[in-house]
Amino acid sequence: MNRKRLQAVIEKEWLDMRKNKMVLSMMALLPLLLVGMILGTVYFMERAPDSEYDPATGDSGMALPPELEALGYKEGTIILLNDQYMFYLLLIPLTLPVYVAAYSIIGEKETRSLEPLLATPVSTAELLVGKTISAAAPAIVLTWLSFVLTAVGLNFIASPTVLAYWVRPVWSLSMALQTPFLAVLSTASGVIASSRLNDPRAAQQVTGLFIVPLIALSLIVLMGKVYLNLRLMSWATLLIAAVTVGVLWLAIRLFQRETILTRWK
Amino acid sequence: MIRTEHLTKRFGPLLAVEDLNLHVERGEVFGFLGPNGAGKTTTLRMLAALIAPTSGAAWINDRRVGQDDEAIHASIGLLTETPGLYPRLSAKENLSFFAKLHGVEDIPGQVRKYLTLLELWERRSEPVGGFSKGMQQKLAIARALLHEPPVLFLDEPTSALDPEAARLVRDFIETLKGEGRTIFLCTHNLEEADHLCDRVAVIKQRLIRVDAPDALRQDLYGRSVRVQLREVTPEILAAVRALPFVTAVTEASPGLRVALDEPETYNPVLIQALMTAGAAIQFVERESHSLEQVYLDLLHESEATA
């Protein structure tokens, strides 16, 4: 793989992305909303009277898993909700790259620029890797940035215990490992969808398939049925990695010169 | 420079190109003509190492397609029917990106050279989405030439352009011809092909005929002159038919169409014979057939023999 050509593809994609206001606003909006929502919720919950969180006396009382009962109802509830929000942060690498990738590839179809591009010495692998990195990297960085920004905000508005649970190993490792896998999974889905669809918005809907299990898991956690630990998250990471590899394999199979030129309509 | 041997391409049951044998010399402008669906673009894509042949082989600069594609891509420039540019990027950014992919050493210099040559330098910083079709096609030509490829593949370079822009592109192709580049030109514009090409190939899945446009004309129709007369009498007809170098005479009102092998040598003798027979000669002109006529007749002949 030629480093200069790979770099040229990534630079061009980012340059094009910077000039596409629709993609840019989509990229910025979701992380900003999520960070604002998390910090806003925690801010008001921290300032509500403790009695509101007691299932016996308050109307916001929730059943806490045994692992959080020792913390007290208020902190336990905030931490349980934050665990829920952490799943939402994982929606950033799952939803944003497919949007960028779909625009990037469907954009090439719309402008008919794929043929002259494929007639240069750039290899199919360099093109696919370049497009994957340029679509996935901003989402990975934005997810990590949202995680860190939220931690910084919690440091000011929440108790040290809430902050400690936010950055506990199960979530730090999840952010470090699952985010890149989800971003690549999302990009590969965008490549596959782009081979059959001509509308980036339709291509984006493909990731709905992956969002459903994530939301389902978050609801199970919210109900207090499962408490996330390192063992469970390691298995989840392995599962995500396996699905990512499978989807990536399919994307590489579809992203062949002849297929692109003769079958992508 | 460009060579194919029994080049064949199938898409499932569809036979797109069959048994194509071509040889294009260095510095030649080679026209590739055929109706829609004849396999022109498929052939061009095989030669540009974009799709693989089902059977047979092709070589560009002695490099075999399918075995040394990266080197082939480095030595060709491709202009597709639609410009295929990035509309949000400026002219300069579009060219710089392709120059990087080709590993051009002096990127600013080459970008400036071709933007200036194609009269786009003043608008180098504008997004190309706002350019007219003609300007976009000129930019696409600049992109195809940035890395100074010895072989150029041009697919319908003027089909979407207004007459003025088409003329500009044609003039530029003539300039490139003068630089000794090998140009493989797919076109429906037969006047353009006649004007620009050293040789043309007519295909419809298979190769029907390949030769220089004038050689095709002579082969199909021979050489002939049209003599416009005030009137044609039996004596005049008999006098012309008696000439040994005349191969055919037909009445072409008001006058005669006379087929002969060497008009340069025998026209004075023909005119002398007509005057002796009492003909009132109004005009004498070389009879010409358009490449369009040649093309259509070749296609009809091919369909009739199929």
Side-chain angles (χ1 to χ4, degrees):
Chain A
M1 197 168 297
N2 181 298
R3 190 185 55 80
K4 284 185 177 171
R5 287 198 294 259
L6 183 64
Q7 193 180 335
V9 173
I10 296 169
E11 281 173 2
K12 177 253 152 193
E13 291 298 328
W14 283 346
L15 182 62
D16 204 15
M17 205 187 297
R18 284 206 303 275
K19 295 187 177 200
N20 189 341
K21 289 187 174 61
M22 198 172 183
V23 169
L24 262 192
S25 51
M26 268 302 297
M27 296 277 289
L29 198 63
L30 184 62
L32 278 175
L33 281 175
L34 284 174
V35 172
M37 185 180 73
I38 298 166
L39 293 178
T41 315
V42 173
Y43 179 85
F44 288 109
M45 285 175 79
E46 283 280 2
R47 275 140 196 85
D50 288 359
S51 57
E52 274 192 19
Y53 296 92
D54 187 343
T57 57
D59 52 8
S60 349
M62 293 169 71
L64 294 178
E67 291 85 347
L68 297 178
E69 276 174 359
L71 298 173
Y73 284 114
K74 184 172 169 176
E75 278 193 329
T77 307
I78 294 173
I79 289 163
L80 195 60
L81 264 180
N82 278 354
D83 279 358
Q84 177 79 3
Y85 289 144
M86 201 69 88
F87 282 108
Y88 294 172
L89 281 194
L90 290 177
L91 290 179
I92 299 174
L94 200 52
T95 53
L96 290 189
V98 70
Y99 196 74
V100 178
Y103 257 102
S104 155
I105 295 164
I106 290 176
E108 301 265 15
K109 287 164 82 175
E110 281 174 349
T111 54
R112 310 262 175 123
S113 48
L114 267 174
E115 194 165 355
L117 183 59
L118 295 173
T120 68
V122 74
S123 69
T124 315
E126 285 158 2
L127 201 56
L128 186 61
V129 171
K131 281 188 179 291
T132 302
I133 291 174
S134 57
I140 295 170
V141 171
L142 280 170
T143 312
W144 288 344
L145 207 58
S146 303
F147 178 70
V148 172
L149 270 178
T150 311
V152 171
L154 290 177
N155 186 42
F156 291 106
I157 63 168
S159 69
T161 312
V162 170
L163 175 62
Y165 268 82
W166 180 262
V167 293
R168 72 185 191 271
V170 68
W171 280 123
S172 299
L173 281 174
S174 168
M175 279 291 134
L177 298 176
Q178 290 179 358
T179 300
F181 279 126
L182 288 173
V184 173
L185 173 66
S186 175
T187 309
S189 309
V191 173
I192 293 168
S194 301
S195 68
R196 292 287 176 271
L197 303 166
N198 285 317
D199 186 342
R201 286 162 296 188
Q204 199 189 6
Q205 288 169 2
V206 171
T207 45
L209 290 171
F210 304 115
I211 290 172
V212 173
L214 196 69
I215 297 286
L217 186 60
S218 79
L219 288 174
I220 293 168
V221 170
L222 186 67
M223 287 159 68
K225 301 286 182 196
V226 171
Y227 184 70
L228 294 173
N229 55 36
L230 269 178
R231 192 164 170 269
L232 187 68
M233 285 308 254
S234 301
W235 278 111
T237 307
L238 280 176
L239 181 68
I240 292 168
V243 173
T244 304
V245 169
V247 174
L248 195 59
W249 174 83
L250 190 60
I252 292 167
R253 293 267 303 175
L254 282 170
F255 202 80
Q256 299 295 326
R257 277 165 203 264
E258 187 150 344
T259 316
I260 292 168
L261 288 174
T262 57
R263 293 190 205 158
W264 284 26
K265 300 288 178 203
Chain B
M1 193 53 117
I2 301 172
R3 188 159 60 90
T4 69
E5 279 180 12
H6 309 292
L7 195 67
T8 300
K9 181 68 184 177
R10 279 181 179 280
F11 294 106
L14 179 78
L15 182 64
V17 177
E18 188 185 10
D19 199 32
L20 191 65
N21 294 295
L22 292 174
H23 193 115
V24 181
E25 297 292 341
R26 189 180 300 270
E28 190 175 10
V29 179
F30 190 83
F32 204 53
L33 317 177
N36 288 333
K40 298 192 299 293
T41 301
T42 301
T43 304
L44 188 141
R45 283 175 171 172
M46 284 193 281
L47 294 178
L50 291 171
I51 59 174
T54 307
S55 61
W59 291 263
I60 308 292
N61 263 339
D62 297 325
R63 295 176 196 278
R64 187 167 171 169
V65 170
Q67 289 181 358
D68 205 355
D69 291 354
E70 191 178 323
I72 290 174
H73 289 151
S75 69
I76 62 165
L78 174 68
L79 178 71
T80 49
E81 191 178 349
T82 47
L85 300 161
Y86 299 108
R88 280 182 291 272
L89 304 193
S90 70
K92 206 174 158 186
E93 288 163 346
N94 265 283
L95 293 192
S96 297
F97 169 54
F98 278 86
K100 282 177 198 166
L101 294 182
H102 278 292
V104 172
E105 284 188 8
D106 178 17
I107 293 176
Q110 284 297 93
V111 169
R112 187 184 182 114
K113 174 185 168 185
Y114 280 105
L115 284 179
T116 308
L117 265 176
L118 288 152
E119 299 167 7
L120 293 168
W121 179 248
E122 298 301 317
R123 301 188 67 176
R124 63 190 177 277
S125 303
E126 294 176 30
V128 301
F131 282 13
S132 68
K133 273 186 183 173
M135 287 168 71
Q136 289 191 3
Q137 195 70 340
K138 283 199 288 180
L139 189 61
I141 292 175
R143 180 185 59 197
L145 290 165
L146 270 175
H147 54 295
E148 306 291 358
V151 181
L152 272 173
F153 290 104
L154 310 178
D155 192 4
E156 305 285 356
T158 57
S159 67
L161 304 183
D162 63 50
E164 194 185 352
R167 174 68 180 269
L168 202 143
V169 169
R170 267 197 294 276
D171 288 349
F172 195 74
I173 294 172
E174 283 220 270
T175 313
L176 297 174
K177 183 180 173 180
E179 290 174 1
R181 297 183 206 256
T182 307
I183 300 174
F184 192 91
L185 174 70
C186 286
T187 183
H188 279 305
N189 188 328
L190 298 168
E191 202 180 322
E192 180 176 282
D194 203 4
H195 181 67
L196 292 171
C197 298
D198 300 310
R199 286 190 305 148
V200 295
V202 180
I203 72 153
K204 195 174 176 189
Q205 277 73 52
R206 296 178 68 94
L207 182 66
I208 296 173
R209 195 76 73 87
V210 56
D211 216 328
D214 282 340
L216 287 175
R217 285 186 185 97
Q218 188 167 346
D219 194 29
L220 278 183
Y221 313 110
R223 299 181 73 187
S224 57
V225 289
R226 208 179 140 270
V227 187
Q228 187 172 313
L229 305 172
R230 190 174 295 148
E231 62 170 336
V232 180
T233 62
E235 292 77 27
I236 293 172
L237 259 176
V240 175
R241 282 190 176 129
L243 295 169
F245 52 81
V246 170
T247 52
V249 184
T250 49
E251 280 197 60
S253 181
L256 298 173
R257 181 179 168 272
V258 184
L260 66 175
D261 286 338
E262 293 175 52
E264 294 83 356
T265 309
Y266 295 118
N267 268 352
V269 184
L270 171 68
I271 291 164
Q272 186 66 51
L274 283 165
M275 288 175 69
T276 307
I281 301 171
Q282 292 174 316
F283 298 104
V284 179
E285 59 188 356
R286 188 166 80 174
E287 193 168 62
S288 63
H289 296 271
S290 66
L291 188 59
E292 184 180 349
Q293 189 61 50
V294 173
Y295 168 80
L296 291 172
D297 287 345
L298 281 174
L299 282 181
H300 292 151
E301 188 183 293
S302 143
E303 278 162 16
T305 53

